[in-house]
Amino acid sequence: KAGVTQTPRYLIKTRGQQVTLSCSPISGHRSVSWYQQTPGQGLQFLFEYFSETQRNKGNFPGRFSGRQFSNSRSEMNVSTLELGDSALYLCASSLGLLASQRYEQYFGPGTRLTVT
Amino acid sequence: QKEVEQNSGPLSVPEGAIASLNCTYSDRGSQSFFWYRQYSGKSPELIMSIYSNGDKEDGRFTAQLNKASQYVSLLIRDSQPSDSATYLCAVRGGGSYIPTFGRGTSLIVHP
């Protein structure tokens, strides 16, 4: 079974621009989460989607947004980029959110975003 | 604010030894616990999940959970140089269902 895929893998943007990152989950997985990883803050949760609905949101400003499509693919958008947004952005998929389902998350390779 | 604490290390063990990685968490209502391995420059890889008190074994890995002490650990038996990586503890459940990751413990297995 193919793993989680993320595009693009690397991105360089200028401060003030916006960026859209894409994630395709493992086939059959309905939940997609996004994380930001930096050396200073570690792995931090951005948001989680299930069946096209945002179910959980981390403590990030409104410049960070996301969505999920009917095929479970997800995108995240960062507007008005700041230098501090430079990070590895990771997408993770899991089967679902219900208590009876497994919460194990499988990460994609990530998108390395550099803001100059 | 839910917190997950790990010793940053590095933890250095000789090849063939048992590596013991520890994690404590602050939210007593946490329900799901995970260990991930992350090699330098790569994304995290799920090793183990554990949901109830006690031990769970998978090959050379054993996860141990003690909810009363709010403590979860990962034991790696017969450690190999290829186990050298950063190990992340993740916790979910409780007051908010947001997954919280520890900062990770760097493990070095030397030949």
Side-chain angles (χ1 to χ4, degrees), chain B residues 8-74:
Chain B
S8 62
L11 173 65
S12 182
V13 300
E15 183 175 357
I18 296 175
S20 177
L21 305 163
N22 304 314
C23 171
T24 59
Y25 58 94
S26 63
D27 190 335
R28 185 169 289 277
S30 298
Q31 299 168 353
S32 309
F33 307 86
F34 309 91
W35 283 99
Y36 290 85
R37 176 175 62 194
Q38 187 172 25
Y39 292 111
S40 180
K42 301 293 186 181
S43 60
E45 172 193 7
L46 179 67
I47 301 174
M48 297 277 290
S49 61
I50 187 166
Y51 297 93
S52 54
N53 279 329
D55 294 359
K56 180 181 177 182
E57 187 175 317
D58 184 0
R60 295 187 297 113
F61 299 97
T62 298
Q64 300 174 318
L65 175 61
N66 184 325
K67 289 186 178 180
S69 300
Q70 296 175 237
Y71 175 96
V72 58
S73 65
L74 179 71

Side-chain angles (χ1 to χ4, degrees), chain A residues 13-25:
Chain A
K13 290 287 189 178
T14 302
R15 193 170 43 183
Q17 290 185 314
Q18 76 166 16
V19 66
T20 298
L21 311 181
S22 181
C23 171
S24 292

Side-chain angles (χ1 to χ4, degrees), chain A residues 37 39-40 48 57 104 108, chain B residues 38 43 49 51 92 98-99 103:
Chain A
Q37 188 173 36
E48 181 170 45
K57 187 177 190 304
E104 289 85 354
Chain B
Q38 187 172 25
S43 60
S49 61
Y51 297 93
R92 188 164 189 157
I98 292 174
R103 298 296 300 274

Side-chain angles (χ1 to χ4, degrees), chain B residues 74-93:
Chain B
L74 179 71
L75 301 178
I76 306 175
R77 290 182 300 280
D78 189 25
S79 295
Q80 300 297 309
S82 58
D83 294 326
S84 299
T86 296
Y87 289 79
L88 301 170
C89 171
V91 174
R92 188 164 189 157

